[in-house]
């Protein structure tokens, strides 16, 4: 099962923290009638359990060992991805300060990535989808031609996150996400970079749709007629 060539197609959206990729992904998914998958929520869910159990997030061995003792279930509710941990929904705690602080360390553990990437690929069986994250175009669906990298300056991103009322060291997370050995955040081969620093959300969505059109999204095999 790949980003293209199987029965369903995937649009991959990557970018640093608070770049606006989630908002763009959500709006694009609504406009194009696609399932929206937030891969960050899966890394956050594992991190939520690490924090809940009092495991040191920098202890890679302990984090990896926890995976044998927990059921991370990813599903679809309507047109959105869901994630539960041993049947529990972490809800708003996915974005708690504790999770924000620890998630990049947990996401750097290769065993965590291996488990979650397999679940992410499996979601393509559910239908055409948009998946947003850090390594979607480079690792999860490298074969898809529909790759967008949503960027913005660090200053703009810090302001956006603060406006959401969150304490989140976006620059610090980005450095950890970009420097890690396994699947670092980077612009994947074939991805187009959209810098949103001076754009409003409607402009970003238009730019994304134009890029997808150019890449043949609306003429792909199995495409619904464009609305
Ligand atoms: O809050 P924001 O939208 O910036 O991030 P997120 O998408 O919720 O992801 C939270 C963290 O999960 C990131 O900082 C990465 O450490 C990790 N992540 C990852 O490593 N790979 C992904 N595909 C998605 C998220």
């Amino acid at each position: 099962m790949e980003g293209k060539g199987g029965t369903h197609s995937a649009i991959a959206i990557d970018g640093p923290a608070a770049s606006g990729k989630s908002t763009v992904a959500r709006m694009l998914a609504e406009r194009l009638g696609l399932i929206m998958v937030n891969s960050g929520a899966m890394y956050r869910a594992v991190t939520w359990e690490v924090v809940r159990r009092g495991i040191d997030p920098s202890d890679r061995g302990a984090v990896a060992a926890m995976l044998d003792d927990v059921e991370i279930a990813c599903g679809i509710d309507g047109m959105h991805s869901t994630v539960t941990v041993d049947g529990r929904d972490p809800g708003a705690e996915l974005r708690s300060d504790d999770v924000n602080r620890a998630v990049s360390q947990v996401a750097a553990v290769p065993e965590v990535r291996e488990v979650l990437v397999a679940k992410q690929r499996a979601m393509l069986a559910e239908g055409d989808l948009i998946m947003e994250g850090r390594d979607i175009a480079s690792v999860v669906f490298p074969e898809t031609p529909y790759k967008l990298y949503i960027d913005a300056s660090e200053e703009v991103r810090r302001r956006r996150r603060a406006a959401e009322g969150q304490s989140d060291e976006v620059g610090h997370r980005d450095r950890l996400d970009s420097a890690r050995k396994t699947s670092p955040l980077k612009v994947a081969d074939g991805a187009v970079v959209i810098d949103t620093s001076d754009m409003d959300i409607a402009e970003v969505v238009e730019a994304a749709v134009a890029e997808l059109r150019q890449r043949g999204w609306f003429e792909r095999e199995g495409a619904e007629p464009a609305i």
Side-chain angles (χ1 to χ4, degrees):
M1 210 168 356
E2 290 173 340
K4 200 190 174 205
T7 38
H8 298 298
S9 301
I11 297 175
I13 302 194
D14 294 297
S19 59
K21 64 185 183 310
S22 307
T23 311
V24 176
R26 201 170 47 241
M27 293 184 75
L28 270 180
E30 274 168 24
R31 172 140 158 198
L32 304 177
L34 306 172
I35 298 166
M36 158 75 195
V37 182
N38 177 349
S39 69
M42 302 178 192
Y43 291 92
R44 287 174 177 276
V46 173
T47 306
W48 176 72
E49 186 64 8
V50 165
V51 170
R52 207 187 63 80
R53 294 191 188 194
I55 294 170
D56 175 357
S58 69
D59 183 343
R60 293 181 166 220
V63 170
M66 187 193 85
L67 295 170
D68 295 330
D69 182 38
V70 70
E71 177 68 29
I72 307 290
C74 303
I76 310 273
D77 178 13
M79 295 300 271
H80 296 272
S81 60
T82 58
V83 59
T84 58
V85 181
D86 288 333
R88 284 168 293 123
D89 177 359
E93 286 179 32
L94 284 186
R95 308 202 71 87
S96 70
D97 292 351
D98 282 345
V99 171
N100 280 343
R101 257 193 305 273
V103 65
S104 290
Q105 283 175 307
V106 172
V109 177
E111 290 87 346
V112 170
R113 306 203 69 83
E114 200 181 315
V115 165
L116 296 185
V117 166
K119 291 179 188 291
Q120 289 155 12
R121 288 185 179 142
M123 295 190 94
L124 198 56
E126 308 290 330
D128 291 344
L129 52 81
I130 288 193
M131 191 174 292
E132 55 129 334
R134 300 294 188 286
D135 63 337
I136 310 307
S138 57
V139 174
V140 182
F141 297 124
E143 305 299 328
T144 184
Y146 314 113
K147 302 180 179 189
L148 308 177
Y149 186 95
I150 307 293
D151 209 350
S153 70
E154 187 173 325
E155 174 59 25
V156 166
R157 293 185 293 108
R158 216 183 2 245
R159 266 191 270 131
R160 286 179 184 165
R161 194 54 31 116
E164 292 168 358
Q166 281 198 56
S167 138
D168 187 4
E169 290 292 331
V170 293
H172 181 61
R173 261 200 302 134
D174 291 344
R175 282 184 280 281
L176 292 178
D177 291 343
S178 305
R180 70 180 174 224
K181 271 215 193 78
T182 313
S183 314
L185 168 67
K186 62 172 183 188
V187 180
D189 285 346
V192 62
V193 178
I194 302 178
D195 186 330
T196 71
S197 304
D198 300 315
M199 290 165 98
D200 66 27
I201 187 70
E203 290 173 315
V204 181
V205 171
E206 286 315 316
V209 170
E211 188 62 38
L212 291 170
R213 177 169 288 120
Q214 210 173 21
R215 291 175 180 228
W217 175 260
F218 297 100
E219 284 83 46
R220 76 194 187 285
E221 213 181 308
E224 302 281 335
I227 313 162

Coordinates of all heavy atoms in Angstrom, one line a residue, residues 15-20 149-162 170-171 174-175 193-199:
G15 N 5.7 19.8 8.1 CA 6.1 21.2 8.4 C 6.5 21.3 9.9 O 6.1 20.4 10.7
P16 N 7.1 22.4 10.3 CA 7.5 22.5 11.7 C 6.3 22.9 12.6 O 5.2 23.1 12.1 CB 8.5 23.7 11.7 CG 8.1 24.5 10.5 CD 7.6 23.5 9.5
A17 N 6.5 23.0 13.9 CA 5.5 23.3 14.9 C 4.8 24.6 14.6 O 5.5 25.6 14.3 CB 6.1 23.3 16.3
A18 N 3.5 24.6 14.7 CA 2.7 25.9 14.6 C 2.9 26.6 13.2 O 2.7 27.8 13.1 CB 3.0 26.8 15.7
S19 N 3.2 25.8 12.2 CA 3.3 26.5 10.8 C 2.0 26.7 10.2 O 1.9 27.4 9.2 CB 4.2 25.5 9.9 OG 3.6 24.3 9.8
G20 N 0.9 26.1 10.8 CA -0.4 26.3 10.2 C -0.8 25.0 9.4 O -1.9 25.0 8.8
Y149 N 4.9 21.1 1.9 CA 5.7 21.4 3.1 C 5.3 22.8 3.5 O 5.5 23.8 2.8 CB 7.2 21.3 2.9 CG 8.0 21.5 4.1 CD1 8.5 20.4 4.8 CD2 8.4 22.8 4.6 CE1 9.3 20.6 6.0 CE2 9.2 22.9 5.7 CZ 9.6 21.8 6.4 OH 10.4 22.0 7.5
I150 N 4.6 22.9 4.7 CA 4.0 24.2 5.1 C 5.0 24.8 6.1 O 5.2 24.2 7.2 CB 2.6 24.0 5.7 CG1 1.7 23.2 4.8 CG2 2.0 25.4 6.1 CD1 1.3 24.0 3.5
D151 N 5.5 26.0 5.8 CA 6.5 26.6 6.7 C 6.1 28.0 7.1 O 5.1 28.6 6.6 CB 7.9 26.7 5.9 CG 9.1 26.7 6.8 OD1 8.9 26.7 8.0 OD2 10.2 26.6 6.2
A152 N 6.8 28.6 8.1 CA 6.6 30.0 8.5 C 7.8 30.3 9.4 O 8.4 29.4 9.9 CB 5.3 30.2 9.3
S153 N 8.1 31.5 9.5 CA 9.3 31.9 10.3 C 9.1 31.5 11.8 O 7.9 31.4 12.2 CB 9.5 33.4 10.2 OG 8.5 34.1 10.9
E154 N 10.2 31.3 12.5 CA 10.0 30.9 13.9 C 9.2 31.9 14.7 O 8.4 31.6 15.6 CB 11.4 30.7 14.5 CG 11.3 30.0 15.9 CD 12.7 29.6 16.5 OE1 13.5 29.2 15.7 OE2 12.8 29.8 17.7
E155 N 9.5 33.2 14.4 CA 8.8 34.3 15.2 C 7.3 34.2 14.9 O 6.5 34.3 15.9 CB 9.4 35.6 14.6 CG 8.7 36.9 15.1 CD 8.7 37.0 16.7 OE1 9.6 36.4 17.3 OE2 7.8 37.6 17.2
V156 N 6.9 34.0 13.7 CA 5.5 34.0 13.4 C 4.9 32.7 14.1 O 3.8 32.8 14.6 CB 5.3 33.9 11.8 CG1 3.8 33.4 11.5 CG2 5.6 35.2 11.2
R157 N 5.6 31.6 14.0 CA 5.0 30.4 14.6 C 4.9 30.5 16.2 O 3.9 30.0 16.7 CB 5.9 29.2 14.2 CG 5.8 28.9 12.7 CD 6.5 27.7 12.2 NE 7.9 27.8 12.3 CZ 8.7 27.1 13.2 NH1 8.1 26.3 14.0 NH2 10.0 27.3 13.2
R158 N 5.9 31.2 16.8 CA 5.8 31.3 18.2 C 4.6 32.2 18.6 O 3.9 31.9 19.5 CB 7.1 32.0 18.7 CG 7.5 31.5 20.1 CD 8.7 32.2 20.7 NE 9.3 33.2 19.9 CZ 10.5 33.2 19.4 NH1 11.3 32.2 19.5 NH2 10.9 34.3 18.7
R159 N 4.4 33.2 17.8 CA 3.2 34.1 18.0 C 1.9 33.3 17.8 O 1.0 33.5 18.6 CB 3.2 35.3 17.1 CG 3.9 36.5 17.8 CD 3.7 37.8 16.9 NE 4.8 37.9 16.0 CZ 4.6 38.2 14.7 NH1 3.4 38.3 14.2 NH2 5.7 38.4 13.9
R160 N 1.8 32.5 16.8 CA 0.6 31.7 16.5 C 0.3 30.8 17.7 O -0.8 30.7 18.1 CB 0.7 30.9 15.2 CG 0.7 31.8 14.0 CD 0.8 30.9 12.7 NE 0.8 31.8 11.5 CZ 1.3 31.3 10.4 NH1 1.7 30.1 10.2 NH2 1.3 32.1 9.3
R161 N 1.3 30.1 18.2 CA 1.1 29.2 19.3 C 0.7 29.9 20.6 O -0.2 29.5 21.3 CB 2.4 28.4 19.5 CG 2.3 27.1 20.3 CD 1.4 26.0 20.0 NE 0.9 25.7 18.7 CZ 1.1 24.5 18.1 NH1 1.8 23.6 18.6 NH2 0.5 24.3 16.9
A162 N 1.3 31.1 20.8 CA 1.0 31.9 22.0 C -0.5 32.3 21.9 O -1.2 32.4 22.9 CB 1.9 33.0 22.2
V170 N 8.2 26.1 20.5 CA 8.2 25.5 19.2 C 9.6 25.4 18.6 O 9.9 24.4 17.9 CB 7.3 26.3 18.2 CG1 5.8 26.2 18.6 CG2 7.6 27.8 18.1
G171 N 10.4 26.4 18.8 CA 11.8 26.4 18.3 C 12.6 25.2 18.8 O 13.3 24.5 18.1
D174 N 11.3 22.0 17.3 CA 11.8 21.9 15.9 C 13.2 21.5 15.8 O 13.6 20.7 15.0 CB 11.8 23.3 15.2 CG 10.4 23.8 14.9 OD1 9.5 23.0 15.0 OD2 10.2 25.0 14.7
R175 N 14.1 22.0 16.7 CA 15.5 21.6 16.7 C 15.6 20.1 17.0 O 16.4 19.4 16.3 CB 16.3 22.5 17.6 CG 16.6 23.9 17.0 CD 17.5 24.8 17.8 NE 16.7 25.4 18.8 CZ 16.0 26.5 18.7 NH1 15.8 27.1 17.5 NH2 15.4 27.1 19.7
V193 N 7.4 23.8 -1.1 CA 7.4 24.5 0.1 C 6.5 25.7 0.0 O 6.6 26.5 -1.0 CB 8.8 25.0 0.5 CG1 8.8 25.9 1.8 CG2 9.8 23.9 0.6
I194 N 5.5 25.8 0.9 CA 4.7 27.0 1.0 C 5.0 27.8 2.2 O 4.8 27.3 3.3 CB 3.2 26.6 0.9 CG1 2.9 25.8 -0.4 CG2 2.3 27.9 1.0 CD1 1.4 25.3 -0.5
D195 N 5.6 29.0 2.1 CA 5.9 29.8 3.3 C 4.7 30.7 3.6 O 4.3 31.5 2.9 CB 7.1 30.6 3.0 CG 7.6 31.4 4.3 OD1 6.7 31.7 5.1 OD2 8.8 31.6 4.4
T196 N 4.1 30.4 4.8 CA 2.8 31.0 5.1 C 3.0 32.3 6.0 O 2.0 32.8 6.5 CB 1.9 30.0 5.9 OG1 2.5 29.8 7.2 CG2 1.8 28.7 5.1
S197 N 4.3 32.7 6.2 CA 4.6 33.8 7.2 C 3.7 35.0 6.8 O 3.2 35.7 7.8 CB 6.0 34.2 7.1 OG 6.8 33.1 7.4
D198 N 3.5 35.4 5.6 CA 2.8 36.6 5.2 C 1.5 36.2 4.4 O 1.0 37.0 3.6 CB 3.7 37.5 4.3 CG 4.9 37.9 5.0 OD1 4.8 38.3 6.2 OD2 6.0 37.8 4.4
M199 N 1.0 35.1 4.7 CA -0.3 34.7 4.0 C -1.4 34.4 5.0 O -1.1 33.9 6.1 CB -0.1 33.4 3.2 CG 0.8 33.5 2.0 SD 1.4 31.9 1.4 CE 0.2 31.6 0.1

